[in-house]
Amino acid sequence: MTEDRTPRPVPQGRLTRMLRLGGLAGGMGGRALAQGARQLATGQRPSAQDLFLTPANAARLAGQLAQMRGAAMKMGQLVSMEAGDFLPPELTQIMARLRADADPMPPKQLQAVLDRAWGPGWLRHFARFQVRPIAAASIGQVHRAQTRDGRDLAIKVQYPGVRDSIDSDIDNMGLLLRIPGLMPQGVDLPALMDEARSQLHAEADYLREAAQMRLYAANLAGRDEFRLPVPDDQFSTADVLAMDFIDSRPIEALSDAPQATRDRAAHHLARLVIEELFRFDLMQTDPNFANYRWQPDETHPDGGRIVLLDFGATRGFSAPVAPRYLALLRAALADDREGVRRAAIDIGYFRDQTDAAHQDVLLQIMDLAFDPLRAGGIMDLTHSDIPRQVADLAMQVARTRTRAEMPPPEILFLHRKIGGLYLLLSRLRARVDLDALIRPDDLAQMLQARG
């Protein structure tokens, strides 16, 4: 998973990280000024967006954020998620790197982190400790180990300085993202920064993640279709999260399984997202494929369990969100366009005063998304043309409006999960029985039982 990444030390200290971002901003600005001067000399009138959003600048931005990791990288991920449909293709493609693996830290820095967490000589507790990480992301990297008493563990180690630099990283990234042309008009950058700050502080507390993992497991008690790791208290701290290692395969391995196995897994995954919103009010909002694994059942060739990983991005929603989505669903199934519009305004997709033409395009997108639900029956995600049609309409919005309107950050996280689920089920070439999954009365009962 991280074999093609070069280990790089994580920059530590607020001043060091500020200088990195400041140098990046200054370099981008200097190159833009030079390019602008050259174009003006030839009689051209360059726009700020064309000068700043060059492929070279986008590559430097994504590369530097991937090296810095921590809040800087997370902020880049959120920008990609928030404004992806409105960014130039070159920037969108390169920013996608931030949703993949990060650069791992070198062994010497790893040892220093574990010395602080466990004390010098910690290696005596282990029969085996794999120095090369099996995964590396924005906040930390994961190692496999076996204790002297035979426990197989996955150990997530937080990058040094991440927690202490969250606030300054977010503030400095805010200055960087205010460079003309980097962000579309209409993106609520202060709200995005506040959301990033809140999420990062939560994700950087590994003891909180362990508690969230246990709470999520309690919601799934008795559900044999899922398996979650169990935190190991002996080796878990605020900076290190140890849990039992679950031997499993990438979820994409299911794409070669019998159709019935794929469909059954797809049903469980889709049902889980519904329950996260309407029953649990607890959603794991990072749909990275690496957070889902498959554990085959050796006694039943067509059986197995879905392994769920990474609960740092687990969150609830404000009280009105689920009821408003239920209202949106009821209106859509009844083909009540005005009801859909009112529910969309309540959720925050647009305002009552938003230009009517823009509202109409967004309502067309919703109509496309809900069309399979109105049709009912089995939806084959392998052959669905809906994502392309939605993308075409989104590009129409980007071309025709000077100002993009974005829903509240918590809605973006919900979209992120639903969009990731759709991509996963498409990858599995699965079929989903919509009538069995989505019944408004059942969702209402979930809400009522939740209280």
Side-chain angles (χ1 to χ4, degrees):
M1 194 175 295
T2 58
E3 288 79 2
D4 59 340
R5 296 289 194 183
T6 302
R8 302 177 191 273
V10 179
Q12 299 181 60
R14 296 183 181 183
L15 180 60
T16 300
R17 296 177 72 86
M18 181 183 70
L19 291 175
R20 283 283 189 101
L21 288 173
L24 178 60
M28 291 173 67
R31 284 185 291 273
L33 287 174
Q35 179 67 16
R38 286 193 293 269
Q39 293 188 22
L40 286 171
T42 61
Q44 302 178 57
R45 296 178 62 86
S47 68
Q49 179 171 336
D50 290 339
L51 292 175
F52 281 98
L53 287 183
T54 64
N57 275 343
R60 290 185 184 95
L61 176 61
Q64 186 64 261
L65 296 184
Q67 289 183 33
M68 291 186 70
R69 284 146 284 188
M73 184 175 178
K74 178 64 70 173
M75 189 68 183
Q77 291 173 339
L78 291 178
V79 168
S80 179
M81 177 179 73
E82 161 106 4
D85 289 336
F86 301 92
L87 296 175
E90 298 86 357
L91 182 57
T92 301
Q93 183 176 5
I94 295 173
M95 291 289 276
R97 175 187 173 186
L98 299 177
R99 296 193 293 272
D101 286 349
D103 299 328
M105 57 181 156
K108 187 175 181 179
Q109 195 171 44
L110 168 68
Q111 180 174 347
V113 174
L114 293 177
D115 281 348
R116 286 193 297 271
W118 293 338
W122 52 265
L123 199 55
R124 69 181 183 275
H125 298 295
F126 297 95
R128 184 171 63 251
F129 190 99
Q130 188 173 318
V131 174
R132 185 74 180 181
I134 57 176
S138 59
I139 302 298
Q141 59 190 45
V142 182
H143 298 262
R144 186 174 180 184
Q146 186 180 66
T147 63
R148 291 287 182 186
D149 59 7
R151 285 173 289 158
D152 284 321
L153 299 179
I155 299 176
K156 183 158 66 169
V157 183
Q158 188 171 129
Y159 299 128
V162 162
R163 183 182 299 105
D164 293 337
S165 65
I166 288 173
D167 292 331
S168 57
D169 265 11
I170 295 297
D171 291 340
N172 293 328
M173 277 294 294
L175 294 175
L176 176 64
L177 293 172
R178 287 185 174 92
I179 290 178
L182 272 183
M183 293 289 287
Q185 294 185 48
V187 172
D188 190 348
L189 188 57
L192 195 63
M193 290 170 60
D194 287 344
E195 186 67 28
R197 196 186 314 273
S198 175
Q199 180 176 333
L200 259 294
H201 277 294
E203 287 192 45
D205 184 351
Y206 283 175
L207 293 178
R208 173 193 175 274
E209 181 175 351
Q212 292 291 87
M213 195 184 305
R214 290 188 170 98
L215 179 59
Y216 201 98
N219 284 322
L220 291 177
R223 302 277 289 274
D224 292 337
E225 65 268 32
F226 296 109
R227 183 175 174 189
L228 282 69
V230 177
D232 186 291
D233 292 333
Q234 179 182 354
F235 295 105
S236 292
T237 71
D239 298 321
V240 178
L241 177 57
M243 67 204 88
D244 63 317
F245 178 85
I246 301 176
D247 193 16
S248 57
R249 303 173 184 174
I251 192 71
E252 298 95 315
L254 266 179
S255 59
D256 295 326
Q259 185 72 55
T261 304
R262 286 181 274 135
D263 293 348
R264 186 165 55 253
H267 176 87
H268 293 324
L269 288 166
R271 176 74 177 179
L272 180 61
V273 173
I274 293 169
E275 290 185 304
E276 285 180 320
L277 177 60
F278 291 99
R279 186 189 297 278
F280 307 152
D281 189 27
L282 188 69
M283 179 173 284
Q284 198 282 71
T285 59
D286 185 356
N288 189 320
F289 286 6
N291 293 336
Y292 303 94
R293 306 277 293 181
W294 178 250
Q295 186 180 57
D297 184 344
E298 302 301 335
T299 62
H300 297 88
D302 295 339
R305 293 191 289 182
I306 298 165
V307 178
L308 304 175
L309 301 175
D310 198 338
F311 294 86
T314 303
R315 59 167 298 156
F317 298 93
S318 59
V321 169
R324 287 172 179 173
Y325 269 95
L326 179 57
L328 179 66
L329 177 62
R330 289 192 188 278
L333 292 178
D335 207 11
D336 176 4
R337 185 178 176 84
E338 179 57 23
V340 169
R341 192 181 81 87
R342 295 310 314 174
I345 291 172
D346 288 342
I347 291 170
Y349 288 118
F350 49 81
R351 296 167 293 114
D352 209 7
Q353 300 80 15
T354 298
D355 180 77
H358 181 58
Q359 289 191 35
D360 186 65
V361 175
L362 294 180
L363 289 172
Q364 288 182 54
I365 291 175
M366 294 179 197
D367 191 59
L368 275 172
F370 283 115
D371 188 58
L373 298 180
R374 286 191 290 265
I378 304 295
M379 181 180 182
D380 188 340
L381 283 84
T382 308
H383 303 105
S384 174
D385 193 37
I386 290 176
R388 184 192 62 78
Q389 296 181 63
V390 169
D392 288 346
L393 286 171
M395 288 307 299
Q396 178 182 329
V397 173
R399 286 193 301 267
T400 58
R401 285 185 60 82
T402 58
R403 183 175 179 83
E405 292 199 28
M406 302 293 173
E410 66 176 343
I411 302 303
L412 288 168
F413 281 96
L414 178 58
H415 282 196
R416 180 192 192 193
K417 182 61 177 281
I418 294 173
L421 172 71
Y422 192 99
L423 290 174
L424 176 56
L425 301 192
S426 297
R427 177 74 65 86
L428 299 183
R429 297 178 290 115
R431 301 174 305 188
V432 175
D433 186 343
L434 297 176
D435 293 334
L437 270 174
I438 302 176
R439 301 187 181 108
D441 289 346
D442 290 349
L443 304 185
Q445 288 179 11
M446 290 183 191
L447 283 175
Q448 192 172 27
R450 195 170 85 186

